Amino acid sequence: MTYCKRILAWLVFLAGLLGLLLLASRICIPKNNDSLSGMEQARANGILAEPPESIDILVLGDSEAYTSFSPLLLWKDTGYTSYTCGTNSQRLPYTKTMLERALEKQRPKLVILETLAIYRPIKLDSIASDEAAKYLPVFRYHNRWKDLHWNDFTTAPITATEQAPYKGHTHNETVDPCLNVDYMAPTQEPAATIPLVNQYYVNAIQELCEDYGAQFLLLSTPSPVNWNYARHEGIAAFAQEQGYEYLDLNLENVGIDWTQDTFDKGDHLNHFGAVKVTKFLSNYLRGKDGLIDHRSDPAYGDWNDKLKAYENLISH
Amino acid sequence: MLSFSSYFSSGYLAVYLPVCVLLYALAGQRGRRVVLLLFSAVCFWAVSGKLIAYLLLSTLSIHHFGLWLSDVQDRSKAELAAAPKEERKALRARAQTHQRWILALGLSIQFGILLVLKYSPFAVTNLNNLFSALGLSYSLRVPRFLLPIGISFYTMQAASYLFDVYRQKCSADRNLFRLALFLGFFPQVMEGPICRYGQTAHQLWEAPPLRYQNFMLGLQRMSYGLLKKMIIADRLNLLIKNVFTHYENYDGIAIAVAAVCYTIQLYMDFSGTMDLAVGAGQIFGFQLPENFQRPFFSRTIPEFWQRWHITLGTWFKDYIFYPLSMSKPLKKLTSKARKRLGSHYGPLVAGTIALFCVWVCNGLWHGSAWSYLFFGMYHFALILLGNLTQPVTDKLTGALHISRTSLPYRCFQIVRTGLLVCIGELFFRANGLRAGLAMFERMVTASTLEPLRNGTIFQIGMSRKDFFIVALLLGAIFVIGLLQERGIHLGTRLAQALIPVRFVVYYGVILALIIFGAYGDGYVPVDPIYAGF
């Protein structure tokens, strides 16, 4: 075979492969945004089913983001609509993917990034596989071969209908106290280093927010297990250098009682801790540019229904 | 940093290897050598960091001791040639002793590093246990060392080089870089195959230009390895992990299924890795030795070990078994035993002693734990039992008119050997010898068919569909193996097939890997098992 024929054969082969992968992606992609349909991170992806341009505040990050902050309590206090797209051990490339997905339908006024994800190491090859999965979802949803139905071959990709009941938050009233309460004492330790790849992703997320006219806030939620003064100093220096707004609730007077407000010895906050954090944030965010109280707007009546269901759950 | 913890990581497959191949293709012969050396160093560094110093130390050490041995050999040859006949015997003996000392010194550096890094924690822990059993309050601090990747593999290669120079099977290499490439060639440094200097050193250094046919054959071989690892080995991981970690919660039949699954996983993981190593070598035009020849077609345990981890088996045979059985004391023992016990059992005595040493080494080579030693002793016992009962078996099959070459008898032997191997692997994988014994006991005494009847076996980490896809691919691998046994190699035939046929097969393999591969959410790929040894 001549050199040119060989190159041509390779080009035809690769084009055919791309076509097959696109076809496989179309078949494997979930046809709704719930876990029964095979959607990954269905709670966080509940954002896809929210009415267009209805969310004012988007909270991104890992499990700290969805345990520490309750959108329905913020609604109750301020009338601001919010959603937390936090997922377990979220890494920044996925944070960016979640933001991009949310921005397809939403125009938030404020995007909050929980800072623990900023310190989570990112492997370059996981970036590559994440990027590949964006364009060819078969890499992410390949395991759906076990659950394929006839409509997977005939229906067009995602029609999101499933809303998460607590707007991405998880409710947990278990108490498992934490003894390490002096975790934020200033030390001589140097500030924690943020890897360059991670810095790149935070900046990319901020630029995306800027493109869509959203303000950007870095937020550290209380967690003796995951946070310390060196980490605070690392984020504070980075935020100052980049001109980002930064709020560390580990140093603020939020009123967390570590004997009551955590369900796993200080790793995450429970419901009681989340109430205090949300209360503090309500006061902090009240009156911020562009945020509007929608409580009297009938278009947002569903939020009141959801709040009622949530309060029923709490009272039980 | 690109993760490069195994040959299956995307960092290796999508970046390291393609970039290396590209640079290799663009470079001239010298450049190709530099590319191979550079990438070998970078890959080792990416996995083990500063521990690359151990590899460098091993390389420098065998370079030095090889040259020293060669120097002594040359001098003794010259002296022998010049010496009068009556002095030659004494001279030869003196030179032999001198060389033995050099060899011992060189080997003690190689094995010394391995012993200290890999075995000293095990030795100290056992010493402490002994102290406590004797009622002594004294205890030693258990040392903890980081092990460079592939130390058990490259140490064997380094030692084989010294042995071969000593035996004058190869001449000492003056080129340090050629030796460095022989020890650290990146597709094989983590898990072998354990190559001999005569097999690979010169062809690696030759660094032939890239050829399209080799490139395609190499890719084919690597894809086959990926199928084995990603679809079978990684998929079986959840079930194996669950049962071996909490065996007390499971029925004996689940433990038996897990033991079989682990044996399959180990084979798919290790032989898949070898496919990647040999395939990568093939891309560059190198012929690395094969480590597997369809071991589950073996009819006996000795045959199994001739087909499983072949390069380790031949290493033990060449450098432990033969030297021991040919040593003067064992030769004497053989001739005495032959007179007393006859021509079958007589030679067995010395052979058994040598075999025992081989299996102690084989067990401990896999890891510093009693369970590995037990694994070695288990296979030693099986081989010994086979040797001892052979005359009886011969008589019995003759008396019963059973043809030993008939298909049913061969199938019986293959199944029996497979089951014995699975039992051995149960102890090999168990979390310690006690757990292994408890699992075996549970498997024998507490097995019911209930988990199969009520379907709970499909809730341990693998669904029916997972089992189905594993069975399907195992079936395909079985057929490919069967054809290979008959000398038909599908890979070579495929390379000669029409383009549309090739395209269909390649598309099928790539789509199978992407769709049925056990990666992403819900799966934890098994760490390369043999890289830990």
Side-chain angles (χ1 to χ4, degrees):
Chain A
M1 202 188 275
T2 63
Y3 193 67
C4 287
K5 272 188 186 169
R6 209 168 262 168
I7 289 177
L8 188 70
W10 269 97
L11 288 176
V12 172
F13 176 77
L14 290 175
L17 182 63
L18 185 66
L20 284 171
L21 289 177
L22 286 169
L23 182 69
S25 294
R26 195 183 159 86
I27 293 168
C28 286
I29 199 166
K31 305 301 181 287
N32 204 344
N33 68 329
D34 59 336
S35 48
L36 270 180
S37 306
M39 187 74 188
E40 56 154 11
Q41 313 289 357
R43 183 179 31 75
N45 279 296
I47 184 81
L48 301 176
E50 293 294 326
E53 303 191 14
S54 66
I55 300 294
D56 298 327
I57 302 167
L58 204 60
V59 182
L60 304 168
D62 57 14
S63 51
E64 303 296 329
Y66 67 74
T67 51
S68 307
F69 169 74
S70 169
L72 289 171
L73 292 179
L74 184 76
W75 165 262
K76 186 185 175 186
D77 286 347
T78 62
Y80 302 154
T81 55
S82 60
Y83 200 99
T84 168
C85 293
T87 57
N88 288 341
S89 309
Q90 194 175 95
R91 288 171 205 279
L92 290 173
Y94 194 72
T95 310
K96 186 166 168 269
T97 303
M98 281 305 306
L99 178 61
E100 284 164 355
R101 257 184 224 171
L103 289 175
E104 282 173 22
K105 273 172 74 180
Q106 303 298 335
R107 292 292 175 268
K109 312 291 178 299
L110 173 68
V111 171
I112 299 175
L113 174 60
E114 212 293 329
T115 51
L116 186 55
I118 297 178
Y119 284 114
R120 189 157 283 122
I122 303 170
K123 288 176 179 167
L124 292 183
D125 47 358
S126 73
I127 298 175
S129 52
D130 268 11
E131 287 298 316
K134 260 188 214 172
Y135 302 103
L136 296 166
V138 65
F139 285 104
R140 182 161 284 148
Y141 294 110
H142 65 98
N143 214 24
R144 287 202 63 236
W145 67 267
K146 293 180 197 170
D147 307 308
L148 289 180
H149 296 289
W150 180 242
N151 67 352
D152 283 303
F153 295 86
T154 54
T155 316
I158 310 182
T159 319
T161 59
E162 289 296 317
Q163 293 186 354
Y166 312 130
K167 309 289 178 187
H169 170 67
T170 56
H171 180 79
N172 190 335
E173 292 189 25
T174 315
V175 176
D176 191 358
C178 165
L179 303 175
N180 175 24
V181 290
D182 291 328
Y183 65 102
M184 287 306 286
T187 61
Q188 297 300 312
E189 263 184 75
T193 318
I194 303 170
L196 283 176
V197 187
N198 297 43
Q199 290 188 29
Y200 163 81
Y201 269 96
V202 178
N203 292 335
I205 289 167
Q206 190 276 336
E207 277 169 27
L208 200 55
C209 294
E210 205 172 284
D211 292 346
Y212 282 82
Q215 299 167 71
F216 183 59
L217 170 67
L218 294 174
L219 174 76
S220 303
T221 54
S223 173
V225 170
N226 299 300
W227 211 246
N228 54 43
Y229 196 72
R231 287 194 158 188
H232 162 84
E233 286 287 281
I235 299 287
F238 174 67
Q240 193 180 16
E241 189 186 306
Q242 303 293 331
Y244 302 154
E245 187 179 354
Y246 175 44
L247 176 64
D248 189 344
L249 298 186
N250 295 278
L251 292 172
E252 299 291 338
N253 190 14
V254 180
I256 299 292
D257 172 2
W258 288 110
T259 61
Q260 290 296 316
D261 296 343
T262 169
F263 68 82
D264 51 5
K265 297 187 171 69
D267 195 353
H268 302 94
L269 294 176
N270 58 17
H271 166 69
F272 312 106
V275 168
K276 291 173 184 172
V277 165
T278 311
K279 192 88 190 156
F280 187 93
L281 278 178
S282 301
N283 293 329
Y284 183 82
L285 299 175
R286 199 167 277 129
K288 222 173 179 22
D289 287 349
L291 294 177
I292 301 165
D293 183 348
H294 300 288
R295 277 175 293 191
S296 52
D297 186 343
Y300 290 83
D302 178 57
W303 279 80
N304 290 324
D305 298 341
K306 290 244 162 61
L307 176 64
K308 203 180 266 176
Y310 184 48
E311 286 182 327
N312 275 340
L313 173 90
I314 295 166
S315 63
H316 280 97
Chain B
M1 186 68 193
L2 279 165
S3 74
F4 175 27
S5 50
S6 84
Y7 294 124
F8 296 94
S9 62
S10 45
Y12 175 75
L13 291 171
V15 182
Y16 281 98
L17 188 61
V19 171
C20 182
V21 171
L22 184 70
L23 293 177
Y24 186 91
L26 296 173
Q29 193 189 33
R30 271 193 186 180
R32 292 197 288 270
R33 288 172 185 159
V34 173
V35 168
L36 292 179
L37 269 169
L38 189 73
F39 272 78
S40 297
V42 168
C43 286
F44 201 95
W45 178 272
V47 183
S48 291
K50 289 173 190 164
L51 302 182
I52 196 173
Y54 290 115
L55 178 67
L56 292 177
L57 181 64
S58 283
T59 312
L60 287 170
S61 150
I62 60 165
H63 182 251
H64 173 73
F65 282 95
L67 290 178
W68 191 3
L69 273 171
S70 161
D71 190 41
V72 170
Q73 283 164 355
D74 290 346
R75 261 191 292 140
S76 98
K77 266 181 208 162
E79 281 172 10
L80 277 173
K85 243 184 184 176
E86 59 275 13
E87 285 177 25
R88 280 185 193 166
K89 199 175 173 187
L91 266 177
R92 201 172 286 133
R94 209 166 53 205
Q96 190 73 15
T97 314
H98 193 181
Q99 285 176 51
R100 270 193 199 145
W101 274 108
I102 298 169
L103 175 69
L105 201 60
L107 290 178
S108 58
I109 291 177
Q110 297 305 322
F111 289 117
I113 298 172
L114 184 68
L115 284 173
V116 170
L117 296 186
K118 189 171 169 182
Y119 299 99
S120 59
F122 176 61
V124 173
T125 308
N126 283 299
L127 260 181
N128 286 342
N129 290 344
L130 184 69
F131 290 152
S132 119
L134 293 172
L136 300 170
S137 57
Y138 184 71
S139 77
L140 297 164
R141 196 176 60 83
V142 180
R144 294 274 171 244
F145 297 105
L146 287 173
L147 264 78
I149 194 79
I151 185 169
S152 305
F153 294 90
Y154 74 71
T155 301
M156 305 292 264
Q157 285 201 184
S160 75
Y161 168 73
L162 289 179
F163 273 122
D164 289 351
V165 173
Y166 167 77
R167 291 175 180 174
Q168 301 188 32
K169 278 177 78 178
C170 69
S171 43
D173 200 333
R174 295 195 174 274
N175 188 334
L176 180 64
F177 295 111
R178 181 159 46 211
L179 273 182
L181 191 56
F182 160 65
L183 275 200
F185 180 49
F186 70 89
Q188 51 135 102
V189 74
M190 269 202 230
E191 295 192 51
I194 300 165
C195 305
R196 305 292 171 81
Y197 178 83
Q199 285 174 322
T200 57
H202 286 277
Q203 54 164 328
L204 291 177
W205 195 245
E206 188 62 32
L210 215 63
R211 288 184 57 202
Y212 187 73
Q213 201 186 357
N214 288 336
F215 178 77
M216 291 309 293
L217 284 173
L219 280 187
Q220 268 183 28
R221 182 73 188 260
M222 289 181 73
S223 312
Y224 191 44
L226 282 169
L227 284 174
K228 287 177 180 176
K229 170 75 162 67
M230 288 177 65
I231 298 182
I232 300 181
D234 288 347
R235 189 172 297 279
L236 294 172
N237 202 26
L238 270 177
L239 179 140
I240 292 164
K241 233 178 164 181
N242 285 339
V243 175
F244 275 88
T245 315
H246 306 289
Y247 64 88
E248 62 282 356
N249 299 341
Y250 295 104
D251 189 285
I253 198 82
I255 295 174
V257 169
V260 173
C261 285
Y262 177 65
T263 309
I264 295 169
Q265 184 191 46
L266 190 64
Y267 177 49
M268 292 298 143
D269 177 79
F270 194 20
S271 72
T273 307
M274 287 307 103
D275 290 330
L276 253 68
V278 174
Q282 216 164 2
I283 286 177
F284 297 108
F286 308 133
Q287 197 89 43
L288 298 185
E290 293 290 347
N291 236 353
F292 291 94
Q293 272 185 341
R294 302 162 294 284
F296 290 98
F297 284 103
S298 307
R299 293 163 62 184
T300 60
I301 292 291
E303 188 190 349
F304 176 82
W305 283 101
Q306 282 162 17
R307 289 165 171 261
W308 174 283
H309 207 172
I310 298 167
T311 56
L312 180 72
T314 49
W315 196 101
F316 283 129
K317 195 173 74 183
D318 290 350
Y319 302 115
I320 294 183
F321 185 81
Y322 284 144
L324 273 178
S325 31
M326 301 313 251
S327 64
K328 274 182 194 165
L330 286 191
K331 266 186 172 173
K332 260 187 194 170
L333 185 65
T334 304
S335 61
K336 274 187 188 172
R338 199 189 289 270
K339 280 176 201 160
R340 289 198 177 182
L341 301 169
S343 59
H344 177 75
Y345 291 109
L348 266 186
V349 179
T352 302
I353 293 171
L355 197 67
F356 176 79
C357 297
V358 164
W359 283 102
V360 168
C361 293
N362 191 314
L364 286 176
W365 180 88
H366 285 92
S368 52
W370 289 108
S371 53
Y372 294 118
L373 198 60
F374 181 86
F375 171 79
M377 289 301 96
Y378 171 78
H379 280 277
F380 164 71
L382 289 178
I383 295 170
L384 181 61
L385 199 68
N387 289 338
L388 291 174
T389 56
Q390 198 190 329
V392 182
T393 322
D394 289 348
K395 273 185 192 166
L396 201 67
T397 47
L400 295 171
H401 303 292
I402 296 171
S403 163
R404 293 171 72 95
T405 51
S406 67
L407 185 67
Y409 189 74
R410 277 188 290 154
C411 287
F412 157 74
Q413 283 183 307
I414 288 171
V415 172
R416 177 201 59 187
T417 306
L419 288 177
L420 289 173
V421 169
C422 289
I423 293 170
E425 298 303 348
L426 169 80
F427 289 98
F428 189 77
R429 170 63 174 81
N431 300 323
L433 183 54
R434 257 184 222 162
L437 290 168
M439 287 178 82
F440 183 71
E441 188 194 344
R442 203 168 167 76
M443 192 171 82
V444 175
T445 59
S447 278
T448 64
L449 290 177
E450 208 46 36
L452 301 178
R453 269 199 218 116
N454 61 22
T456 47
I457 197 81
F458 302 115
Q459 291 159 13
I460 308 176
M462 278 176 66
S463 66
R464 282 173 204 271
K465 286 173 183 168
D466 285 315
F467 274 101
F468 172 74
I469 206 74
V470 166
L472 196 70
L473 190 55
L474 282 178
I477 291 171
F478 173 76
V479 172
I480 293 170
L482 211 57
L483 291 171
Q484 284 174 341
E485 285 284 298
R486 291 172 185 186
I488 302 166
H489 290 270
L490 288 181
T492 324
R493 291 205 173 183
L494 183 64
Q496 292 157 355
L498 292 172
I499 284 187
V501 178
R502 273 185 275 163
F503 272 25
V504 169
V505 175
Y506 296 158
Y507 283 145
V509 168
I510 294 171
L511 284 179
L513 276 172
I514 292 171
I515 294 171
F516 301 121
Y519 63 93
D521 277 353
Y523 292 107
V524 183
V526 59
D527 286 335
I529 300 172
Y530 264 75
F533 295 147

